[in-house]
Amino acid sequence: MSLKRFMTMAAVAASICAVTTTAGHAQDYPSKTVTVIVPFAAGGNTDAFGRLVAEQLDQRLGQRFIVENKPGAGGNVGLGELARAAPDGYTIGMGTVSSNAINQTLFKSLPYDKEKGFAPLSLIARMPNVLVVNPEKLPVNSVEELIELLKKEPGKHTYASSGVGTSIHLAGELLATKAGVKITHVPYKGSSQAIMDVVAGHIDFMFDNIPTAAQQVKAGKLRALAVTSLDKAALLPDVPTMDSVIPGFEATSWHGIFAPPGTPPEIVEKLSKEVQAILHEPAMAEKIKGMGATPVGNTSAEFATFIKGETDKWAEVIKAANVPLQ
C-alpha cells in the first residue's frame, strides 16, 4: 500500500471516528448536571423564563438543569462566562434582545467574539412593550395626539426607560426617529422606579414591559396609547398597535436560550428540539401567555435569522439617534 493511500484511509477513519464519537456523546447527553446561566438578576422576566424551561428540561432529560444568575453590564458578564464555558452542552444560557442584539452595536467591546457569537437553541418568548402616558401631564388619547403635541413642543417632554440601550429606551428613540419628534430621554436603573416616576408625574411617558404597565393602566393611573407588537396584546386587548399608526413600528422584548460557540450540532439540535417541545405544550404556552408574553419555540437556524434581523434593526436606530456607545 502506498503512503499516500494509507494517509487517505487514515484520515477517513479518523473522520468517521470523530463523527461517531460526537453522535455518541449527543445520544448520551446529558449525563450530568447542566448549568443554565441567566445574565440578569433573579426575579426578572429573563430569570422567570429560564427557570421555567430549566424545570421542564429536568423532567424531560432526567438530569438537573440548575439556574445560576450572573448579572452585570447589561448581560455582558453572564454572556462572557457562557462564551468561555466548554462547548459540550453542560453550560447553556439565556439571552435577550438587549444582551444578544442591541449590545452588539451599543458596546465598544464585548467579553466574547462578536463574529462567533453563540449557538442559538430557540427563541422562548416575545413580550410587547406598551406606550403609557401620565394623563394629567399629557392629556392625549392616542399616538396621533401625542405626536402632534411633541411636534408642537419640541424638546419639552420627557420619557423614561430602564436604562440606556434597553429595548424600552430604544423604543423611544424609534418613535423620535420615525415620527420626527424631539424628546428627552431620562434613564433609570430599572423599570420599576421609572414607571413610578411617570405615575407621580415627574416624567411624561414611557414604553414599558406590558405586565408591569398593565397594572397601572387598569388602576387608572396611566393611559395606554399603543402596544409595540404587530398584534394586539392579550393583557390589553383594546389598545391599538404602534404599527397601526407608524407602519413598521415594532419593539418587543424577547428571551431566548443559547449554547457556547462550537457546541456540537447534534447537541444543539437535541436541546433545540426539547425546548421547542416544551414551548409547544398547551400548559406551558398558557403559563407564558399569562405572563404577558407570546411563546415561540423555533429551530436554531430560525432563531439565528431572527437575531440577525434584530441586530441590524437596532444598529440603525442606535446610529440614527446618536446613542452614546458604552
Side-chain angles (χ1 to χ4, degrees), residues 34-39 46 50 53 65-68 78-79 81-83 85 89-96 99-100 118-122 124 255-260 271 303:
V34 178
T35 297
V36 182
I37 294 174
V38 173
T46 310
V53 171
F65 281 71
I66 298 178
V67 171
E68 290 189 3
L79 287 181
E81 187 162 328
L82 178 63
Y90 289 97
T91 302
I92 58 178
M94 295 290 293
T96 69
S99 64
N100 292 72
F118 298 92
L121 300 179
S122 183
I124 293 174
H255 307 264
I257 191 162
F258 300 81
L271 283 169
F303 191 18

PDB file of all heavy atoms in Angstrom, residues 34-39 46 50 53 65-68 78-79 81-83 85 89-96 99-100 118-122 124 255-260 271 303:
ATOM      1  N   VAL A  34     -26.487  20.178  34.255  1.00  0.00           N
ATOM      2  CA  VAL A  34     -26.281  21.253  33.280  1.00  0.00           C
ATOM      3  C   VAL A  34     -26.527  22.590  33.980  1.00  0.00           C
ATOM      4  O   VAL A  34     -27.519  22.752  34.697  1.00  0.00           O
ATOM      5  CB  VAL A  34     -27.239  21.108  32.076  1.00  0.00           C
ATOM      6  CG1 VAL A  34     -27.053  22.271  31.098  1.00  0.00           C
ATOM      7  CG2 VAL A  34     -27.004  19.767  31.370  1.00  0.00           C
ATOM      8  N   THR A  35     -25.622  23.528  33.766  1.00  0.00           N
ATOM      9  CA  THR A  35     -25.768  24.872  34.325  1.00  0.00           C
ATOM     10  C   THR A  35     -26.437  25.781  33.303  1.00  0.00           C
ATOM     11  O   THR A  35     -26.053  25.794  32.131  1.00  0.00           O
ATOM     12  CB  THR A  35     -24.400  25.472  34.701  1.00  0.00           C
ATOM     13  OG1 THR A  35     -23.810  24.672  35.724  1.00  0.00           O
ATOM     14  CG2 THR A  35     -24.544  26.900  35.208  1.00  0.00           C
ATOM     15  N   VAL A  36     -27.444  26.528  33.744  1.00  0.00           N
ATOM     16  CA  VAL A  36     -28.141  27.485  32.879  1.00  0.00           C
ATOM     17  C   VAL A  36     -27.823  28.890  33.410  1.00  0.00           C
ATOM     18  O   VAL A  36     -28.316  29.290  34.467  1.00  0.00           O
ATOM     19  CB  VAL A  36     -29.668  27.256  32.876  1.00  0.00           C
ATOM     20  CG1 VAL A  36     -30.341  28.238  31.918  1.00  0.00           C
ATOM     21  CG2 VAL A  36     -29.997  25.818  32.494  1.00  0.00           C
ATOM     22  N   ILE A  37     -26.991  29.629  32.689  1.00  0.00           N
ATOM     23  CA  ILE A  37     -26.617  30.977  33.109  1.00  0.00           C
ATOM     24  C   ILE A  37     -27.708  31.967  32.712  1.00  0.00           C
ATOM     25  O   ILE A  37     -28.133  32.009  31.555  1.00  0.00           O
ATOM     26  CB  ILE A  37     -25.283  31.407  32.472  1.00  0.00           C
ATOM     27  CG1 ILE A  37     -24.134  30.544  33.008  1.00  0.00           C
ATOM     28  CG2 ILE A  37     -24.998  32.889  32.739  1.00  0.00           C
ATOM     29  CD1 ILE A  37     -22.801  30.801  32.322  1.00  0.00           C
ATOM     30  N   VAL A  38     -28.169  32.733  33.678  1.00  0.00           N
ATOM     31  CA  VAL A  38     -29.087  33.850  33.407  1.00  0.00           C
ATOM     32  C   VAL A  38     -28.278  35.129  33.638  1.00  0.00           C
ATOM     33  O   VAL A  38     -27.859  35.391  34.766  1.00  0.00           O
ATOM     34  CB  VAL A  38     -30.315  33.816  34.335  1.00  0.00           C
ATOM     35  CG1 VAL A  38     -31.153  35.085  34.149  1.00  0.00           C
ATOM     36  CG2 VAL A  38     -31.173  32.589  34.036  1.00  0.00           C
ATOM     37  N   PRO A  39     -28.034  35.921  32.584  1.00  0.00           N
ATOM     38  CA  PRO A  39     -27.142  37.073  32.725  1.00  0.00           C
ATOM     39  C   PRO A  39     -27.796  38.306  33.342  1.00  0.00           C
ATOM     40  O   PRO A  39     -27.332  39.424  33.118  1.00  0.00           O
ATOM     41  CB  PRO A  39     -26.707  37.337  31.282  1.00  0.00           C
ATOM     42  CG  PRO A  39     -27.864  36.904  30.460  1.00  0.00           C
ATOM     43  CD  PRO A  39     -28.450  35.716  31.190  1.00  0.00           C
ATOM     44  N   THR A  46     -36.346  37.469  32.365  1.00  0.00           N
ATOM     45  CA  THR A  46     -35.379  36.509  31.821  1.00  0.00           C
ATOM     46  C   THR A  46     -35.158  35.358  32.788  1.00  0.00           C
ATOM     47  O   THR A  46     -35.091  34.193  32.390  1.00  0.00           O
ATOM     48  CB  THR A  46     -34.037  37.208  31.520  1.00  0.00           C
ATOM     49  OG1 THR A  46     -34.280  38.393  30.760  1.00  0.00           O
ATOM     50  CG2 THR A  46     -33.123  36.297  30.729  1.00  0.00           C
ATOM     51  N   GLY A  50     -36.118  31.460  32.122  1.00  0.00           N
ATOM     52  CA  GLY A  50     -35.034  30.494  32.247  1.00  0.00           C
ATOM     53  C   GLY A  50     -35.376  29.379  33.218  1.00  0.00           C
ATOM     54  O   GLY A  50     -35.104  28.203  32.959  1.00  0.00           O
ATOM     55  N   VAL A  53     -38.073  26.923  31.727  1.00  0.00           N
ATOM     56  CA  VAL A  53     -37.508  25.984  30.759  1.00  0.00           C
ATOM     57  C   VAL A  53     -36.588  24.979  31.446  1.00  0.00           C
ATOM     58  O   VAL A  53     -36.618  23.783  31.143  1.00  0.00           O
ATOM     59  CB  VAL A  53     -36.771  26.744  29.639  1.00  0.00           C
ATOM     60  CG1 VAL A  53     -35.995  25.775  28.744  1.00  0.00           C
ATOM     61  CG2 VAL A  53     -37.758  27.534  28.796  1.00  0.00           C
ATOM     62  N   PHE A  65     -30.982  20.690  35.667  1.00  0.00           N
ATOM     63  CA  PHE A  65     -30.635  21.925  34.954  1.00  0.00           C
ATOM     64  C   PHE A  65     -30.742  23.044  35.984  1.00  0.00           C
ATOM     65  O   PHE A  65     -31.839  23.442  36.365  1.00  0.00           O
ATOM     66  CB  PHE A  65     -31.584  22.160  33.772  1.00  0.00           C
ATOM     67  CG  PHE A  65     -31.255  21.340  32.557  1.00  0.00           C
ATOM     68  CD1 PHE A  65     -31.476  19.972  32.548  1.00  0.00           C
ATOM     69  CD2 PHE A  65     -30.717  21.935  31.427  1.00  0.00           C
ATOM     70  CE1 PHE A  65     -31.171  19.205  31.431  1.00  0.00           C
ATOM     71  CE2 PHE A  65     -30.409  21.184  30.300  1.00  0.00           C
ATOM     72  CZ  PHE A  65     -30.625  19.811  30.294  1.00  0.00           C
ATOM     73  N   ILE A  66     -29.588  23.504  36.460  1.00  0.00           N
ATOM     74  CA  ILE A  66     -29.543  24.451  37.570  1.00  0.00           C
ATOM     75  C   ILE A  66     -29.280  25.870  37.070  1.00  0.00           C
ATOM     76  O   ILE A  66     -28.300  26.118  36.351  1.00  0.00           O
ATOM     77  CB  ILE A  66     -28.445  24.049  38.577  1.00  0.00           C
ATOM     78  CG1 ILE A  66     -28.762  22.670  39.159  1.00  0.00           C
ATOM     79  CG2 ILE A  66     -28.325  25.078  39.687  1.00  0.00           C
ATOM     80  CD1 ILE A  66     -27.710  22.164  40.123  1.00  0.00           C
ATOM     81  N   VAL A  67     -30.150  26.795  37.437  1.00  0.00           N
ATOM     82  CA  VAL A  67     -30.017  28.196  37.028  1.00  0.00           C
ATOM     83  C   VAL A  67     -29.023  28.913  37.933  1.00  0.00           C
ATOM     84  O   VAL A  67     -29.082  28.795  39.164  1.00  0.00           O
ATOM     85  CB  VAL A  67     -31.381  28.914  37.076  1.00  0.00           C
ATOM     86  CG1 VAL A  67     -31.211  30.426  36.874  1.00  0.00           C
ATOM     87  CG2 VAL A  67     -32.317  28.341  36.023  1.00  0.00           C
ATOM     88  N   GLU A  68     -28.109  29.640  37.313  1.00  0.00           N
ATOM     89  CA  GLU A  68     -27.165  30.493  38.044  1.00  0.00           C
ATOM     90  C   GLU A  68     -27.267  31.912  37.495  1.00  0.00           C
ATOM     91  O   GLU A  68     -27.092  32.116  36.297  1.00  0.00           O
ATOM     92  CB  GLU A  68     -25.728  29.976  37.903  1.00  0.00           C
ATOM     93  CG  GLU A  68     -25.453  28.688  38.642  1.00  0.00           C
ATOM     94  CD  GLU A  68     -23.981  28.320  38.650  1.00  0.00           C
ATOM     95  OE1 GLU A  68     -23.163  29.105  38.118  1.00  0.00           O
ATOM     96  OE2 GLU A  68     -23.646  27.243  39.175  1.00  0.00           O
ATOM     97  N   GLY A  78     -22.583  37.737  32.295  1.00  0.00           N
ATOM     98  CA  GLY A  78     -23.039  36.355  32.165  1.00  0.00           C
ATOM     99  C   GLY A  78     -22.722  35.760  30.808  1.00  0.00           C
ATOM    100  O   GLY A  78     -22.321  34.590  30.702  1.00  0.00           O
ATOM    101  N   LEU A  79     -22.868  36.559  29.756  1.00  0.00           N
ATOM    102  CA  LEU A  79     -22.589  36.045  28.420  1.00  0.00           C
ATOM    103  C   LEU A  79     -21.094  35.811  28.220  1.00  0.00           C
ATOM    104  O   LEU A  79     -20.704  34.895  27.490  1.00  0.00           O
ATOM    105  CB  LEU A  79     -23.118  37.015  27.363  1.00  0.00           C
ATOM    106  CG  LEU A  79     -24.649  37.038  27.219  1.00  0.00           C
ATOM    107  CD1 LEU A  79     -25.060  38.005  26.125  1.00  0.00           C
ATOM    108  CD2 LEU A  79     -25.208  35.655  26.926  1.00  0.00           C
ATOM    109  N   GLU A  81     -19.144  34.707  30.526  1.00  0.00           N
ATOM    110  CA  GLU A  81     -18.911  33.413  31.168  1.00  0.00           C
ATOM    111  C   GLU A  81     -19.416  32.276  30.288  1.00  0.00           C
ATOM    112  O   GLU A  81     -18.779  31.222  30.189  1.00  0.00           O
ATOM    113  CB  GLU A  81     -19.586  33.377  32.536  1.00  0.00           C
ATOM    114  CG  GLU A  81     -19.258  32.141  33.331  1.00  0.00           C
ATOM    115  CD  GLU A  81     -19.545  32.291  34.816  1.00  0.00           C
ATOM    116  OE1 GLU A  81     -19.414  33.416  35.346  1.00  0.00           O
ATOM    117  OE2 GLU A  81     -19.898  31.284  35.445  1.00  0.00           O
ATOM    118  N   LEU A  82     -20.557  32.487  29.645  1.00  0.00           N
ATOM    119  CA  LEU A  82     -21.091  31.466  28.739  1.00  0.00           C
ATOM    120  C   LEU A  82     -20.132  31.221  27.575  1.00  0.00           C
ATOM    121  O   LEU A  82     -19.896  30.079  27.178  1.00  0.00           O
ATOM    122  CB  LEU A  82     -22.464  31.886  28.216  1.00  0.00           C
ATOM    123  CG  LEU A  82     -23.138  30.938  27.224  1.00  0.00           C
ATOM    124  CD1 LEU A  82     -23.418  29.583  27.878  1.00  0.00           C
ATOM    125  CD2 LEU A  82     -24.440  31.540  26.695  1.00  0.00           C
ATOM    126  N   ALA A  83     -19.575  32.291  27.031  1.00  0.00           N
ATOM    127  CA  ALA A  83     -18.656  32.169  25.891  1.00  0.00           C
ATOM    128  C   ALA A  83     -17.392  31.393  26.272  1.00  0.00           C
ATOM    129  O   ALA A  83     -16.816  30.685  25.435  1.00  0.00           O
ATOM    130  CB  ALA A  83     -18.287  33.550  25.372  1.00  0.00           C
ATOM    131  N   ALA A  85     -17.248  29.020  28.549  1.00  0.00           N
ATOM    132  CA  ALA A  85     -17.575  27.664  29.016  1.00  0.00           C
ATOM    133  C   ALA A  85     -17.199  26.625  27.953  1.00  0.00           C
ATOM    134  O   ALA A  85     -17.145  26.910  26.756  1.00  0.00           O
ATOM    135  CB  ALA A  85     -19.063  27.564  29.338  1.00  0.00           C
ATOM    136  N   GLY A  89     -22.286  21.405  25.952  1.00  0.00           N
ATOM    137  CA  GLY A  89     -23.702  21.320  26.288  1.00  0.00           C
ATOM    138  C   GLY A  89     -23.991  21.336  27.774  1.00  0.00           C
ATOM    139  O   GLY A  89     -25.165  21.345  28.162  1.00  0.00           O
ATOM    140  N   TYR A  90     -22.944  21.358  28.618  1.00  0.00           N
ATOM    141  CA  TYR A  90     -23.176  21.319  30.060  1.00  0.00           C
ATOM    142  C   TYR A  90     -23.217  22.712  30.697  1.00  0.00           C
ATOM    143  O   TYR A  90     -23.417  22.837  31.901  1.00  0.00           O
ATOM    144  CB  TYR A  90     -22.158  20.418  30.739  1.00  0.00           C
ATOM    145  CG  TYR A  90     -22.442  18.969  30.403  1.00  0.00           C
ATOM    146  CD1 TYR A  90     -21.761  18.328  29.372  1.00  0.00           C
ATOM    147  CD2 TYR A  90     -23.450  18.275  31.061  1.00  0.00           C
ATOM    148  CE1 TYR A  90     -22.058  17.011  29.027  1.00  0.00           C
ATOM    149  CE2 TYR A  90     -23.756  16.957  30.728  1.00  0.00           C
ATOM    150  CZ  TYR A  90     -23.064  16.330  29.707  1.00  0.00           C
ATOM    151  OH  TYR A  90     -23.382  15.048  29.362  1.00  0.00           O
ATOM    152  N   THR A  91     -23.039  23.725  29.863  1.00  0.00           N
ATOM    153  CA  THR A  91     -23.317  25.101  30.269  1.00  0.00           C
ATOM    154  C   THR A  91     -24.061  25.759  29.118  1.00  0.00           C
ATOM    155  O   THR A  91     -23.556  25.800  27.992  1.00  0.00           O
ATOM    156  CB  THR A  91     -22.038  25.903  30.553  1.00  0.00           C
ATOM    157  OG1 THR A  91     -21.288  25.254  31.579  1.00  0.00           O
ATOM    158  CG2 THR A  91     -22.384  27.310  31.028  1.00  0.00           C
ATOM    159  N   ILE A  92     -25.273  26.209  29.387  1.00  0.00           N
ATOM    160  CA  ILE A  92     -26.057  26.941  28.404  1.00  0.00           C
ATOM    161  C   ILE A  92     -26.523  28.233  29.075  1.00  0.00           C
ATOM    162  O   ILE A  92     -26.251  28.447  30.260  1.00  0.00           O
ATOM    163  CB  ILE A  92     -27.249  26.110  27.878  1.00  0.00           C
ATOM    164  CG1 ILE A  92     -28.175  25.678  29.030  1.00  0.00           C
ATOM    165  CG2 ILE A  92     -26.755  24.883  27.127  1.00  0.00           C
ATOM    166  CD1 ILE A  92     -29.405  24.895  28.570  1.00  0.00           C
ATOM    167  N   GLY A  93     -27.173  29.107  28.345  1.00  0.00           N
ATOM    168  CA  GLY A  93     -27.542  30.368  28.974  1.00  0.00           C
ATOM    169  C   GLY A  93     -28.670  31.093  28.274  1.00  0.00           C
ATOM    170  O   GLY A  93     -28.973  30.842  27.104  1.00  0.00           O
ATOM    171  N   MET A  94     -29.276  31.997  29.015  1.00  0.00           N
ATOM    172  CA  MET A  94     -30.349  32.817  28.500  1.00  0.00           C
ATOM    173  C   MET A  94     -29.790  34.081  27.855  1.00  0.00           C
ATOM    174  O   MET A  94     -28.683  34.528  28.152  1.00  0.00           O
ATOM    175  CB  MET A  94     -31.305  33.204  29.629  1.00  0.00           C
ATOM    176  CG  MET A  94     -32.054  32.037  30.243  1.00  0.00           C
ATOM    177  SD  MET A  94     -33.276  31.349  29.113  1.00  0.00           S
ATOM    178  CE  MET A  94     -34.442  32.720  29.021  1.00  0.00           C
ATOM    179  N   GLY A  95     -30.584  34.668  26.970  1.00  0.00           N
ATOM    180  CA  GLY A  95     -30.214  35.928  26.330  1.00  0.00           C
ATOM    181  C   GLY A  95     -31.460  36.695  25.949  1.00  0.00           C
ATOM    182  O   GLY A  95     -32.561  36.132  25.908  1.00  0.00           O
ATOM    183  N   THR A  96     -31.283  37.977  25.677  1.00  0.00           N
ATOM    184  CA  THR A  96     -32.417  38.849  25.367  1.00  0.00           C
ATOM    185  C   THR A  96     -32.108  39.742  24.185  1.00  0.00           C
ATOM    186  O   THR A  96     -30.989  39.753  23.667  1.00  0.00           O
ATOM    187  CB  THR A  96     -32.749  39.745  26.577  1.00  0.00           C
ATOM    188  OG1 THR A  96     -31.673  40.698  26.742  1.00  0.00           O
ATOM    189  CG2 THR A  96     -32.909  38.949  27.853  1.00  0.00           C
ATOM    190  N   SER A  99     -29.148  41.960  25.399  1.00  0.00           N
ATOM    191  CA  SER A  99     -27.838  41.320  25.544  1.00  0.00           C
ATOM    192  C   SER A  99     -27.328  40.708  24.251  1.00  0.00           C
ATOM    193  O   SER A  99     -26.113  40.662  24.029  1.00  0.00           O
ATOM    194  CB  SER A  99     -27.889  40.263  26.645  1.00  0.00           C
ATOM    195  OG  SER A  99     -28.779  39.213  26.312  1.00  0.00           O
ATOM    196  N   ASN A 100     -28.210  40.228  23.382  1.00  0.00           N
ATOM    197  CA  ASN A 100     -27.769  39.475  22.212  1.00  0.00           C
ATOM    198  C   ASN A 100     -28.044  40.150  20.873  1.00  0.00           C
ATOM    199  O   ASN A 100     -27.735  39.579  19.834  1.00  0.00           O
ATOM    200  CB  ASN A 100     -28.399  38.083  22.224  1.00  0.00           C
ATOM    201  CG  ASN A 100     -27.865  37.225  23.344  1.00  0.00           C
ATOM    202  OD1 ASN A 100     -28.190  37.453  24.508  1.00  0.00           O
ATOM    203  ND2 ASN A 100     -27.038  36.246  23.022  1.00  0.00           N
ATOM    204  N   PHE A 118     -22.908  33.074  19.642  1.00  0.00           N
ATOM    205  CA  PHE A 118     -23.295  31.896  20.403  1.00  0.00           C
ATOM    206  C   PHE A 118     -24.057  30.939  19.493  1.00  0.00           C
ATOM    207  O   PHE A 118     -24.429  31.299  18.377  1.00  0.00           O
ATOM    208  CB  PHE A 118     -24.162  32.296  21.600  1.00  0.00           C
ATOM    209  CG  PHE A 118     -23.445  33.187  22.573  1.00  0.00           C
ATOM    210  CD1 PHE A 118     -23.517  34.572  22.459  1.00  0.00           C
ATOM    211  CD2 PHE A 118     -22.683  32.647  23.594  1.00  0.00           C
ATOM    212  CE1 PHE A 118     -22.839  35.395  23.336  1.00  0.00           C
ATOM    213  CE2 PHE A 118     -21.996  33.459  24.477  1.00  0.00           C
ATOM    214  CZ  PHE A 118     -22.071  34.840  24.351  1.00  0.00           C
ATOM    215  N   ALA A 119     -24.278  29.735  19.985  1.00  0.00           N
ATOM    216  CA  ALA A 119     -25.084  28.771  19.238  1.00  0.00           C
ATOM    217  C   ALA A 119     -26.537  28.930  19.677  1.00  0.00           C
ATOM    218  O   ALA A 119     -26.891  28.539  20.790  1.00  0.00           O
ATOM    219  CB  ALA A 119     -24.597  27.353  19.515  1.00  0.00           C
ATOM    220  N   PRO A 120     -27.399  29.521  18.840  1.00  0.00           N
ATOM    221  CA  PRO A 120     -28.803  29.724  19.240  1.00  0.00           C
ATOM    222  C   PRO A 120     -29.526  28.384  19.361  1.00  0.00           C
ATOM    223  O   PRO A 120     -29.394  27.523  18.486  1.00  0.00           O
ATOM    224  CB  PRO A 120     -29.386  30.547  18.075  1.00  0.00           C
ATOM    225  CG  PRO A 120     -28.209  31.024  17.284  1.00  0.00           C
ATOM    226  CD  PRO A 120     -27.133  30.012  17.485  1.00  0.00           C
ATOM    227  N   LEU A 121     -30.264  28.213  20.439  1.00  0.00           N
ATOM    228  CA  LEU A 121     -31.054  26.997  20.616  1.00  0.00           C
ATOM    229  C   LEU A 121     -32.502  27.230  20.217  1.00  0.00           C
ATOM    230  O   LEU A 121     -33.037  26.529  19.366  1.00  0.00           O
ATOM    231  CB  LEU A 121     -30.967  26.520  22.073  1.00  0.00           C
ATOM    232  CG  LEU A 121     -29.560  26.183  22.588  1.00  0.00           C
ATOM    233  CD1 LEU A 121     -29.625  25.740  24.046  1.00  0.00           C
ATOM    234  CD2 LEU A 121     -28.902  25.124  21.716  1.00  0.00           C
ATOM    235  N   SER A 122     -33.135  28.225  20.816  1.00  0.00           N
ATOM    236  CA  SER A 122     -34.527  28.526  20.468  1.00  0.00           C
ATOM    237  C   SER A 122     -34.947  29.854  21.081  1.00  0.00           C
ATOM    238  O   SER A 122     -34.486  30.222  22.161  1.00  0.00           O
ATOM    239  CB  SER A 122     -35.465  27.423  20.960  1.00  0.00           C
ATOM    240  OG  SER A 122     -36.804  27.683  20.558  1.00  0.00           O
ATOM    241  N   ILE A 124     -37.569  31.685  23.093  1.00  0.00           N
ATOM    242  CA  ILE A 124     -38.550  31.198  24.054  1.00  0.00           C
ATOM    243  C   ILE A 124     -39.844  32.003  23.985  1.00  0.00           C
ATOM    244  O   ILE A 124     -40.933  31.443  23.859  1.00  0.00           O
ATOM    245  CB  ILE A 124     -37.970  31.246  25.484  1.00  0.00           C
ATOM    246  CG1 ILE A 124     -36.834  30.229  25.600  1.00  0.00           C
ATOM    247  CG2 ILE A 124     -39.054  30.956  26.522  1.00  0.00           C
ATOM    248  CD1 ILE A 124     -36.090  30.294  26.919  1.00  0.00           C
ATOM    249  N   HIS A 255     -36.767  36.793  24.699  1.00  0.00           N
ATOM    250  CA  HIS A 255     -35.921  35.981  25.564  1.00  0.00           C
ATOM    251  C   HIS A 255     -35.662  34.648  24.868  1.00  0.00           C
ATOM    252  O   HIS A 255     -36.603  33.984  24.420  1.00  0.00           O
ATOM    253  CB  HIS A 255     -36.605  35.742  26.906  1.00  0.00           C
ATOM    254  CG  HIS A 255     -37.052  37.013  27.569  1.00  0.00           C
ATOM    255  ND1 HIS A 255     -36.312  37.671  28.510  1.00  0.00           N
ATOM    256  CD2 HIS A 255     -38.179  37.764  27.388  1.00  0.00           C
ATOM    257  CE1 HIS A 255     -36.940  38.774  28.896  1.00  0.00           C
ATOM    258  NE2 HIS A 255     -38.085  38.839  28.232  1.00  0.00           N
ATOM    259  N   GLY A 256     -34.399  34.281  24.779  1.00  0.00           N
ATOM    260  CA  GLY A 256     -34.047  33.031  24.130  1.00  0.00           C
ATOM    261  C   GLY A 256     -32.990  32.282  24.903  1.00  0.00           C
ATOM    262  O   GLY A 256     -32.499  32.748  25.936  1.00  0.00           O
ATOM    263  N   ILE A 257     -32.615  31.115  24.399  1.00  0.00           N
ATOM    264  CA  ILE A 257     -31.635  30.274  25.089  1.00  0.00           C
ATOM    265  C   ILE A 257     -30.540  29.881  24.108  1.00  0.00           C
ATOM    266  O   ILE A 257     -30.812  29.627  22.923  1.00  0.00           O
ATOM    267  CB  ILE A 257     -32.331  29.054  25.744  1.00  0.00           C
ATOM    268  CG1 ILE A 257     -31.383  28.321  26.682  1.00  0.00           C
ATOM    269  CG2 ILE A 257     -32.961  28.133  24.715  1.00  0.00           C
ATOM    270  CD1 ILE A 257     -32.092  27.394  27.664  1.00  0.00           C
ATOM    271  N   PHE A 258     -29.299  29.848  24.612  1.00  0.00           N
ATOM    272  CA  PHE A 258     -28.119  29.679  23.777  1.00  0.00           C
ATOM    273  C   PHE A 258     -27.161  28.663  24.384  1.00  0.00           C
ATOM    274  O   PHE A 258     -27.210  28.375  25.580  1.00  0.00           O
ATOM    275  CB  PHE A 258     -27.369  31.009  23.649  1.00  0.00           C
ATOM    276  CG  PHE A 258     -28.164  32.125  23.032  1.00  0.00           C
ATOM    277  CD1 PHE A 258     -29.075  32.852  23.803  1.00  0.00           C
ATOM    278  CD2 PHE A 258     -28.003  32.459  21.705  1.00  0.00           C
ATOM    279  CE1 PHE A 258     -29.804  33.889  23.250  1.00  0.00           C
ATOM    280  CE2 PHE A 258     -28.723  33.500  21.143  1.00  0.00           C
ATOM    281  CZ  PHE A 258     -29.623  34.216  21.910  1.00  0.00           C
ATOM    282  N   ALA A 259     -26.247  28.171  23.532  1.00  0.00           N
ATOM    283  CA  ALA A 259     -25.117  27.357  23.985  1.00  0.00           C
ATOM    284  C   ALA A 259     -23.835  28.091  23.581  1.00  0.00           C
ATOM    285  O   ALA A 259     -23.862  28.997  22.754  1.00  0.00           O
ATOM    286  CB  ALA A 259     -25.176  25.974  23.340  1.00  0.00           C
ATOM    287  N   PRO A 260     -22.699  27.730  24.166  1.00  0.00           N
ATOM    288  CA  PRO A 260     -21.440  28.369  23.771  1.00  0.00           C
ATOM    289  C   PRO A 260     -21.118  28.117  22.304  1.00  0.00           C
ATOM    290  O   PRO A 260     -21.556  27.113  21.725  1.00  0.00           O
ATOM    291  CB  PRO A 260     -20.402  27.689  24.673  1.00  0.00           C
ATOM    292  CG  PRO A 260     -21.172  27.150  25.823  1.00  0.00           C
ATOM    293  CD  PRO A 260     -22.508  26.767  25.258  1.00  0.00           C
ATOM    294  N   LEU A 271     -31.048  19.864  22.124  1.00  0.00           N
ATOM    295  CA  LEU A 271     -31.575  20.852  23.062  1.00  0.00           C
ATOM    296  C   LEU A 271     -32.653  21.708  22.417  1.00  0.00           C
ATOM    297  O   LEU A 271     -33.680  22.015  23.034  1.00  0.00           O
ATOM    298  CB  LEU A 271     -30.436  21.736  23.573  1.00  0.00           C
ATOM    299  CG  LEU A 271     -29.531  21.121  24.644  1.00  0.00           C
ATOM    300  CD1 LEU A 271     -28.302  21.993  24.867  1.00  0.00           C
ATOM    301  CD2 LEU A 271     -30.290  20.922  25.952  1.00  0.00           C
ATOM    302  N   PHE A 303     -33.918  30.882  14.706  1.00  0.00           N
ATOM    303  CA  PHE A 303     -33.556  31.827  15.760  1.00  0.00           C
ATOM    304  C   PHE A 303     -32.359  32.677  15.326  1.00  0.00           C
ATOM    305  O   PHE A 303     -32.317  33.885  15.564  1.00  0.00           O
ATOM    306  CB  PHE A 303     -33.245  31.052  17.046  1.00  0.00           C
ATOM    307  CG  PHE A 303     -33.107  31.914  18.280  1.00  0.00           C
ATOM    308  CD1 PHE A 303     -33.599  33.203  18.331  1.00  0.00           C
ATOM    309  CD2 PHE A 303     -32.470  31.404  19.414  1.00  0.00           C
ATOM    310  CE1 PHE A 303     -33.475  33.984  19.479  1.00  0.00           C
ATOM    311  CE2 PHE A 303     -32.330  32.173  20.560  1.00  0.00           C
ATOM    312  CZ  PHE A 303     -32.823  33.470  20.591  1.00  0.00           C
TER     313      PHE A 303
END
